[in-house]
Amino acid sequence: MDLRQIEYFVHVAELGSFTRAASFLSIAQPVLSRQVRALELEFRQALLERNGRGVTLTEPGKRLLDHGRSLLAQAERIQSDMEDGRDEPSGRLVVALPPSVSSALTTPLVRQFHRQFPKARLCILEGLSAYGQEWLATGRADCAVLYTAATSPAIDLLPILSEALYLISRRSMRDGMVGTPEPVELTTLAECQLVMPSRPHAIRVLVENVMAQVSLKPNVALEIESIPAILNLVRDEGLYAVLSLKALASMGQYDIFDARPIGTPPLQTTLWTATSAQRPRSPLLDQAIPMLRQTLIDTWRDPVTAGAVL
């Protein structure tokens, strides 16, 4: 198996066309076709289905695409790790962030990363915490920020800060106030029609587990993965959501929502940094982790939405 052939296959699969992949790679299309065909012959199964509009992946092709991405990422890490020993860290760092964190953290993180590591490249993946753990396991990400992560021998976890969760509702005719001190008890929460992300979203799992301890369960009317869409439904349809104030602040819509803490003591979620315990850490990753943690702490230091640093 030739790593170059894997690289060619991944580009064809991702771009959906031999023509576009050949142009991107600056090679002749017949050469590209021969290399991918040689890969199919080696594995003795079709990886792509050719049609007039381009190509689609077969089931074996989908599996190889996942493996191929991991192989290419690992090859780049090896090269970066060998180069890092010569002078200041270089190479590519892939960081996975949950959507609510990404909206607030991406800009300050990019700025600080470029200041501290001018010879390195930063790639940010956005996805639920469960996806972040999967990307760490497959080698697609070097590190991740996760909400209330499950412990695993394959992942090294360090807590960063904790955040209170709030019941978000459409502001009533009375003068509401973000973060009002009156908590919502779990019995009241069980009566609210919620719009929440589906499992395995960390907040969904946390709410279900806490309510199950007192023989309750959330009344989930709709499952939506997008925070802006969730807030739109709260605003327009009178539903309820469970979010942190930072997620609410990221949408810039404080003035049209009420937010009340949940439970006594208040229900909280924890943000963690996670790295693989099964792969060696490059010098770039070792130096970037403290920078990532401090940038997140600084970003979360807000008079309204600050979390408790752990």
Side-chain angles (χ1 to χ4, degrees), residues 23 41 88 106 112 124 128 160 170 175 198 203 235 240 245 270:
S23 176
L41 291 173
E88 61 184 282
T106 294
Q112 185 60 33
I124 293 177
L128 303 181
I160 313 169
R170 181 170 58 195
D175 291 331
S198 60
I203 290 178
R235 180 193 63 200
Y240 295 81
L245 289 185
T270 302

Side-chain angles (χ1 to χ4, degrees), residues 136-200:
L136 283 176
T138 61
R140 190 177 175 192
D142 299 298
C143 62
V145 175
L146 307 176
Y147 273 111
T148 312
T151 58
S152 165
I155 294 178
D156 289 328
L157 292 167
L158 280 175
I160 313 169
L161 52 82
S162 61
E163 287 186 293
L165 294 177
Y166 292 78
L167 180 66
I168 310 298
S169 61
R170 181 170 58 195
R171 179 155 294 183
S172 59
M173 294 302 293
R174 64 178 174 79
D175 291 331
M177 181 178 70
V178 170
T180 53
E182 302 85 6
V184 175
E185 297 306 324
L186 294 180
T187 51
T188 303
L189 178 63
E191 298 171 357
C192 297
Q193 283 195 311
L194 298 173
V195 52
M196 299 188 77
S198 60
R199 277 179 165 269

